[in-house]
Amino acid sequence: MSVGQYLTRRLEVWRPVTVDDGAGGQDTTLALQGTVRAKVDQPSPTERLVAAQAGSRHSHDVWLRPSADVRRGDELRGSDALGQAQRFRVLSVVQPSRPIYSKVFAELIQEEGA
């Protein structure tokens, strides 16, 4: 079984990179690592209701090829079907015992008022 046919979105993978700031400290920035094909599941009605509350977190399952280089702490960026920009913070990445896909648990990053 191949999950490739279901991976209809392209998401950029941004990874935190630490560099010296020239003054004895360090700065952490996000660096583009590449693009992956993905399927982003919609949250359940219950999750949407909870996410509408102030201060709540909005989670999504993101499905990838098992060889995709995505790690905890990465940020996935892309657009939804309506062309609206989305950013997801990767909380964990898991694979089944037979690696036919990778499942990412990610948090949707929304600006205040969005």
Side-chain angles (χ1 to χ4, degrees):
M1 178 185 150
S2 173
V3 297
Q5 64 187 349
Y6 303 106
L7 307 178
T8 58
R9 291 182 60 179
R10 295 204 178 272
L11 298 175
E12 294 177 338
V13 179
W14 291 79
R15 185 163 294 145
V17 177
T18 303
V19 294
D20 291 333
D21 66 3
Q26 295 180 326
D27 286 325
T28 301
T29 60
L30 293 174
L32 179 62
Q33 300 298 304
T35 303
V36 295
R37 290 178 51 196
K39 177 184 182 299
V40 179
D41 281 349
Q42 294 298 315
S44 70
T46 302
E47 289 174 316
R48 284 189 292 241
L49 178 64
V50 170
Q53 299 172 6
S56 66
R57 295 178 174 228
H58 197 162
S59 63
H60 287 267
D61 290 331
V62 180
W63 304 86
L64 309 169
R65 292 186 185 274
S67 59
D69 183 18
V70 175
R71 305 173 190 171
R72 184 170 50 108
D74 286 352
E75 188 173 289
L76 303 175
R77 297 179 185 176
S79 298
D80 65 11
L82 299 175
Q84 298 175 352
Q86 290 183 314
R87 295 184 310 145
F88 300 94
R89 180 178 301 113
V90 176
L91 302 175
S92 66
V93 181
V94 296
Q95 289 182 341
S97 58
R98 198 170 122 228
I100 55 175
Y101 62 83
S102 289
K103 182 178 178 182
V104 172
F105 183 67
E107 177 183 7
L108 179 64
I109 302 169
Q110 292 181 311
E111 303 300 326
E112 286 292 323

mmCIF file of all heavy atoms in Angstrom, residues 12-32:
data_model
loop_
_atom_site.group_PDB
_atom_site.id
_atom_site.type_symbol
_atom_site.label_atom_id
_atom_site.label_comp_id
_atom_site.label_asym_id
_atom_site.label_seq_id
_atom_site.Cartn_x
_atom_site.Cartn_y
_atom_site.Cartn_z
ATOM 1 N N GLU A 12 6.420 23.269 3.129
ATOM 2 C CA GLU A 12 7.831 23.559 3.348
ATOM 3 C C GLU A 12 8.202 23.134 4.756
ATOM 4 O O GLU A 12 7.418 23.320 5.696
ATOM 5 C CB GLU A 12 8.109 25.058 3.197
ATOM 6 C CG GLU A 12 7.900 25.587 1.805
ATOM 7 C CD GLU A 12 8.116 27.091 1.736
ATOM 8 O OE1 GLU A 12 8.015 27.788 2.786
ATOM 9 O OE2 GLU A 12 8.375 27.586 0.625
ATOM 10 N N VAL A 13 9.395 22.586 4.916
ATOM 11 C CA VAL A 13 9.909 22.180 6.225
ATOM 12 C C VAL A 13 10.940 23.222 6.660
ATOM 13 O O VAL A 13 11.952 23.426 5.988
ATOM 14 C CB VAL A 13 10.566 20.785 6.169
ATOM 15 C CG1 VAL A 13 11.116 20.399 7.536
ATOM 16 C CG2 VAL A 13 9.587 19.750 5.652
ATOM 17 N N TRP A 14 10.664 23.881 7.767
ATOM 18 C CA TRP A 14 11.575 24.865 8.351
ATOM 19 C C TRP A 14 12.076 24.311 9.673
ATOM 20 O O TRP A 14 11.303 23.868 10.506
ATOM 21 C CB TRP A 14 10.851 26.192 8.576
ATOM 22 C CG TRP A 14 10.495 26.873 7.288
ATOM 23 C CD1 TRP A 14 9.439 26.565 6.475
ATOM 24 C CD2 TRP A 14 11.190 27.928 6.664
ATOM 25 N NE1 TRP A 14 9.446 27.386 5.382
ATOM 26 C CE2 TRP A 14 10.509 28.240 5.473
ATOM 27 C CE3 TRP A 14 12.326 28.664 6.991
ATOM 28 C CZ2 TRP A 14 10.926 29.248 4.612
ATOM 29 C CZ3 TRP A 14 12.745 29.676 6.142
ATOM 30 C CH2 TRP A 14 12.052 29.962 4.964
ATOM 31 N N ARG A 15 13.392 24.336 9.873
ATOM 32 C CA ARG A 15 14.006 23.738 11.061
ATOM 33 C C ARG A 15 14.784 24.790 11.853
ATOM 34 O O ARG A 15 15.505 25.603 11.269
ATOM 35 C CB ARG A 15 14.950 22.613 10.625
ATOM 36 C CG ARG A 15 15.563 21.846 11.784
ATOM 37 C CD ARG A 15 16.130 20.521 11.328
ATOM 38 N NE ARG A 15 15.024 19.672 10.887
ATOM 39 C CZ ARG A 15 15.118 18.802 9.878
ATOM 40 N NH1 ARG A 15 16.243 18.637 9.237
ATOM 41 N NH2 ARG A 15 14.062 18.077 9.532
ATOM 42 N N PRO A 16 14.680 24.766 13.186
ATOM 43 C CA PRO A 16 15.465 25.703 13.995
ATOM 44 C C PRO A 16 16.966 25.443 13.830
ATOM 45 O O PRO A 16 17.418 24.293 13.877
ATOM 46 C CB PRO A 16 15.031 25.397 15.435
ATOM 47 C CG PRO A 16 13.760 24.628 15.325
ATOM 48 C CD PRO A 16 13.814 23.923 14.004
ATOM 49 N N VAL A 17 17.711 26.518 13.607
ATOM 50 C CA VAL A 17 19.160 26.443 13.454
ATOM 51 C C VAL A 17 19.763 27.497 14.370
ATOM 52 O O VAL A 17 19.323 28.650 14.378
ATOM 53 C CB VAL A 17 19.574 26.712 11.989
ATOM 54 C CG1 VAL A 17 21.084 26.713 11.848
ATOM 55 C CG2 VAL A 17 18.947 25.702 11.056
ATOM 56 N N THR A 18 20.751 27.094 15.153
ATOM 57 C CA THR A 18 21.419 28.014 16.073
ATOM 58 C C THR A 18 22.740 28.459 15.463
ATOM 59 O O THR A 18 23.539 27.633 15.015
ATOM 60 C CB THR A 18 21.657 27.334 17.431
ATOM 61 O OG1 THR A 18 20.393 26.882 17.941
ATOM 62 C CG2 THR A 18 22.273 28.288 18.433
ATOM 63 N N VAL A 19 22.957 29.778 15.449
ATOM 64 C CA VAL A 19 24.201 30.340 14.917
ATOM 65 C C VAL A 19 24.764 31.333 15.928
ATOM 66 O O VAL A 19 24.032 31.929 16.713
ATOM 67 C CB VAL A 19 23.960 31.041 13.553
ATOM 68 C CG1 VAL A 19 23.555 30.045 12.485
ATOM 69 C CG2 VAL A 19 22.920 32.129 13.665
ATOM 70 N N ASP A 20 26.087 31.495 15.905
ATOM 71 C CA ASP A 20 26.731 32.474 16.777
ATOM 72 C C ASP A 20 26.313 33.880 16.342
ATOM 73 O O ASP A 20 26.224 34.174 15.150
ATOM 74 C CB ASP A 20 28.254 32.344 16.710
ATOM 75 C CG ASP A 20 28.749 31.051 17.337
ATOM 76 O OD1 ASP A 20 28.058 30.527 18.229
ATOM 77 O OD2 ASP A 20 29.816 30.562 16.918
ATOM 78 N N ASP A 21 26.091 34.752 17.330
ATOM 79 C CA ASP A 21 25.658 36.115 17.011
ATOM 80 C C ASP A 21 26.823 37.094 16.899
ATOM 81 O O ASP A 21 26.635 38.272 16.637
ATOM 82 C CB ASP A 21 24.630 36.619 18.017
ATOM 83 C CG ASP A 21 25.191 36.799 19.416
ATOM 84 O OD1 ASP A 21 26.404 36.595 19.632
ATOM 85 O OD2 ASP A 21 24.396 37.140 20.311
ATOM 86 N N GLY A 22 28.052 36.604 17.099
ATOM 87 C CA GLY A 22 29.225 37.460 16.982
ATOM 88 C C GLY A 22 29.548 38.225 18.250
ATOM 89 O O GLY A 22 30.553 38.935 18.314
ATOM 90 N N ALA A 23 28.705 38.104 19.258
ATOM 91 C CA ALA A 23 28.938 38.818 20.513
ATOM 92 C C ALA A 23 28.995 37.848 21.684
ATOM 93 O O ALA A 23 28.722 38.213 22.819
ATOM 94 C CB ALA A 23 27.831 39.846 20.730
ATOM 95 N N GLY A 24 29.323 36.598 21.405
ATOM 96 C CA GLY A 24 29.443 35.601 22.455
ATOM 97 C C GLY A 24 28.166 34.838 22.749
ATOM 98 O O GLY A 24 28.140 33.956 23.590
ATOM 99 N N GLY A 25 27.105 35.170 22.078
ATOM 100 C CA GLY A 25 25.834 34.480 22.284
ATOM 101 C C GLY A 25 25.414 33.724 21.030
ATOM 102 O O GLY A 25 26.197 33.538 20.102
ATOM 103 N N GLN A 26 24.177 33.315 21.021
ATOM 104 C CA GLN A 26 23.660 32.583 19.875
ATOM 105 C C GLN A 26 22.261 33.066 19.530
ATOM 106 O O GLN A 26 21.510 33.508 20.398
ATOM 107 C CB GLN A 26 23.607 31.084 20.165
ATOM 108 C CG GLN A 26 24.962 30.456 20.381
ATOM 109 C CD GLN A 26 24.852 28.968 20.665
ATOM 110 O OE1 GLN A 26 23.897 28.527 21.280
ATOM 111 N NE2 GLN A 26 25.831 28.212 20.215
ATOM 112 N N ASP A 27 21.937 32.976 18.251
ATOM 113 C CA ASP A 27 20.596 33.284 17.766
ATOM 114 C C ASP A 27 20.024 32.014 17.159
ATOM 115 O O ASP A 27 20.742 31.235 16.532
ATOM 116 C CB ASP A 27 20.629 34.363 16.680
ATOM 117 C CG ASP A 27 20.903 35.744 17.230
ATOM 118 O OD1 ASP A 27 20.447 36.033 18.352
ATOM 119 O OD2 ASP A 27 21.557 36.536 16.529
ATOM 120 N N THR A 28 18.737 31.811 17.350
ATOM 121 C CA THR A 28 18.061 30.677 16.731
ATOM 122 C C THR A 28 17.107 31.214 15.676
ATOM 123 O O THR A 28 16.282 32.089 15.966
ATOM 124 C CB THR A 28 17.284 29.850 17.772
ATOM 125 O OG1 THR A 28 18.212 29.376 18.755
ATOM 126 C CG2 THR A 28 16.602 28.661 17.133
ATOM 127 N N THR A 29 17.256 30.710 14.465
ATOM 128 C CA THR A 29 16.382 31.101 13.366
ATOM 129 C C THR A 29 15.854 29.833 12.703
ATOM 130 O O THR A 29 16.349 28.731 12.948
ATOM 131 C CB THR A 29 17.137 31.936 12.313
ATOM 132 O OG1 THR A 29 18.212 31.154 11.784
ATOM 133 C CG2 THR A 29 17.689 33.210 12.910
ATOM 134 N N LEU A 30 14.854 29.999 11.866
ATOM 135 C CA LEU A 30 14.325 28.872 11.108
ATOM 136 C C LEU A 30 14.929 28.895 9.710
ATOM 137 O O LEU A 30 14.941 29.929 9.052
ATOM 138 C CB LEU A 30 12.796 28.940 11.025
ATOM 139 C CG LEU A 30 12.059 28.751 12.338
ATOM 140 C CD1 LEU A 30 10.560 28.977 12.149
ATOM 141 C CD2 LEU A 30 12.299 27.355 12.882
ATOM 142 N N ALA A 31 15.418 27.732 9.267
ATOM 143 C CA ALA A 31 16.020 27.608 7.943
ATOM 144 C C ALA A 31 15.222 26.607 7.119
ATOM 145 O O ALA A 31 14.852 25.533 7.611
ATOM 146 C CB ALA A 31 17.472 27.152 8.064
ATOM 147 N N LEU A 32 14.978 26.957 5.871
ATOM 148 C CA LEU A 32 14.237 26.078 4.968
ATOM 149 C C LEU A 32 15.049 24.818 4.689
ATOM 150 O O LEU A 32 16.202 24.895 4.289
ATOM 151 C CB LEU A 32 13.916 26.811 3.661
ATOM 152 C CG LEU A 32 13.155 26.013 2.610
ATOM 153 C CD1 LEU A 32 11.782 25.592 3.117
ATOM 154 C CD2 LEU A 32 13.030 26.840 1.326
#
